[in-house]
């Protein structure tokens, strides 16, 4: 039995070092990635979404009308290998789509989408999706970098800046969570339900109630800790 537990721990450590997920299947979130027509820093955003997949989040893609025409959608699909792909015409499936996913991630939200949601003008697919998730109290993560850097640069027009900031403030008050540009992955991961659940499992399944994971100051799990685990307990590394 000790050998079996030790083997499991070593397997989980190996998977973590390789950047793979150790999240249990039944706790894996399904995220809907909503893509608008902006391509500012898009390659970097796609790489971040790939990292989220490695952390255990399953993703599907939804493209706006303009995204289908301005972005290399096939390259994005090939890179991310999504569960499902949705397009503008899938607005009629809104209710079923909202049941399938726990969170929305908008890596390139545009001024058009932002203003529509803030004003309640949800007449197209992506604004409808975001509005629905906010309405249902689900997590919506949005990157406002494209809005703040229209056509790749910040505005010098104070009134436009005021309007933009007001719309951002409005949608955040509605429940949207701004993705931290400098901490893109963690600003999503640390707010998800499965992350909180896994941290709880760590304390329940081991006697390491004060365990904290820090890349620069790692707590050492000893052989004694492993041996003291009960037979029906699991050790989940953060």
């Amino acid at each position: 039995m000790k050998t079996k537990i030790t083997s499991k721990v070593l397997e989980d450590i190996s998977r973590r070092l390789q950047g793979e997920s150790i999240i249990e299947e039944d706790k894996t979130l399904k995220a809907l990635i909503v893509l608008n027509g902006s391509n500012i820093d898009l390659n970097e955003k796609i790489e971040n979404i790939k990292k989220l997949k490695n952390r255990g989040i399953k993703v599907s893609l939804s493209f706006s009308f303009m995204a289908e025409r301005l972005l290399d959608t096939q390259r994005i699909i090939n890179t991310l290998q999504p569960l499902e792909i949705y397009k503008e015409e899938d607005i009629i499936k809104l209710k079923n789509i909202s049941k399938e996913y726990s969170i929305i991630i908008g890596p390139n939200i545009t001024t058009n989408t932002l203003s529509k949601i803030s004003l309640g003008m949800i007449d197209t697919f992506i604004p409808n999706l975001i509005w629905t998730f906010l309405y249902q109290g689900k997590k919506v993560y949005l990157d406002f970098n494209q809005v703040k850097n229209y056509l790749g640069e910040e505005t010098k027009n104070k009134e436009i800046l005021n309007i933009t900031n007001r719309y951002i403030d409005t949608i955040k008050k509605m429940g949207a969570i701004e993705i931290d540009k400098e901490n893109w992955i963690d600003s999503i991961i640390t707010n998800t339900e499965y992350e909180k659940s896994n941290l709880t499992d760590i304390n329940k399944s081991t006697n390491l109630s004060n365990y904290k994971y820090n890349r620069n100051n790692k707590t050492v799990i000893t052989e004694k800790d492993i041996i003291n685990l009960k037979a029906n307990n699991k050790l989940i590394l953060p």
Side-chain angles (χ1 to χ4, degrees):
M1 182 63 193
K2 295 176 185 177
T3 302
K4 184 177 180 180
I5 295 174
T6 304
S7 176
K8 175 61 177 173
V9 172
L10 292 175
E11 178 185 343
D12 286 345
I13 292 173
S14 176
R15 291 170 63 189
R16 171 63 68 187
L17 291 174
Q18 295 177 44
E20 296 180 10
S21 169
I22 59 170
I23 298 167
E24 294 183 25
E25 196 68 24
D26 60 349
K27 292 178 182 176
T28 300
L29 287 183
K30 292 171 67 178
L32 185 59
I33 311 300
V34 294
L35 291 164
N36 288 117
S38 173
N39 61 3
I40 298 176
D41 298 328
L42 187 60
N43 290 336
E44 179 184 344
K45 307 295 175 60
I46 297 302
E47 287 303 312
N48 283 332
I49 294 170
K50 282 180 64 178
K51 291 176 183 177
L52 288 176
K53 287 190 65 179
N54 289 338
R55 294 290 292 269
I57 296 180
K58 294 182 178 180
V59 303
S60 289
L61 299 176
S62 54
F63 295 100
S64 71
F65 177 84
M66 293 305 296
E68 289 185 64
R69 286 150 182 79
L70 297 177
L71 304 182
D72 187 349
T73 57
Q74 193 56 54
R75 183 187 66 81
I76 295 172
I77 292 168
N78 292 341
T79 300
L80 294 178
Q81 295 294 307
L83 294 172
E84 301 287 345
I85 301 166
Y86 302 103
K87 298 182 180 180
E88 193 72 32
E89 58 267 26
D90 291 311
I91 192 172
I92 61 175
K93 303 175 184 177
L94 193 63
K95 188 173 182 179
N96 290 334
I97 292 174
S98 67
K99 290 179 180 179
E100 286 294 316
Y101 302 94
S102 303
I103 63 175
I104 270 182
I105 299 173
N108 66 339
I109 187 171
T110 58
T111 302
N112 184 50
T113 294
L114 175 66
S115 59
K116 282 187 174 185
I117 298 168
S118 299
L119 297 172
M121 298 171 58
I122 49 171
D123 57 348
T124 51
F125 186 41
I126 300 303
N128 251 296
L129 282 172
I130 294 174
W131 178 279
T132 299
F133 274 62
L134 291 172
Y135 190 90
Q136 295 175 342
K138 293 185 176 183
K139 294 288 180 66
V140 174
Y141 300 90
L142 301 175
D143 187 327
F144 297 114
N145 185 49
Q146 286 74 15
V147 176
K148 296 175 180 178
N149 295 274
Y150 180 66
L151 297 179
E153 60 182 44
E154 296 182 4
T155 182
K156 296 180 181 179
N157 186 311
K158 291 184 179 180
E159 188 56 35
I160 288 179
L161 182 61
N162 288 337
I163 292 173
T164 300
N165 288 335
R166 187 164 66 246
Y167 285 161
I168 291 175
D169 288 341
T170 297
I171 199 170
K172 288 169 73 172
K173 288 177 182 178
M174 293 168 71
I177 301 168
E178 183 171 4
I179 298 174
D180 183 355
K181 182 180 178 182
E182 304 301 325
N183 203 16
W184 215 90
I185 305 298
D186 287 344
S187 62
I188 296 174
I189 288 291
T190 55
N191 282 291
T192 56
E193 290 303 318
Y194 80 74
E195 184 76 1
K196 296 174 185 176
S197 177
N198 277 341
L199 290 174
T200 301
D201 282 348
I202 292 169
N203 290 332
K204 284 183 178 179
S205 60
T206 75
N207 293 323
L208 307 177
S209 58
N210 294 322
Y211 180 90
K212 292 181 184 293
Y213 181 77
N214 187 294
R215 289 177 175 83
N216 298 318
N217 185 22
K218 299 180 178 65
T219 298
V220 176
I221 301 175
T222 66
E223 181 182 3
K224 182 179 178 181
D225 294 321
I226 297 173
I227 292 174
N228 287 336
L229 286 175
K230 294 181 181 180
N232 62 343
N233 280 343
K234 297 170 289 185
L235 178 63
I236 304 174
L237 302 179

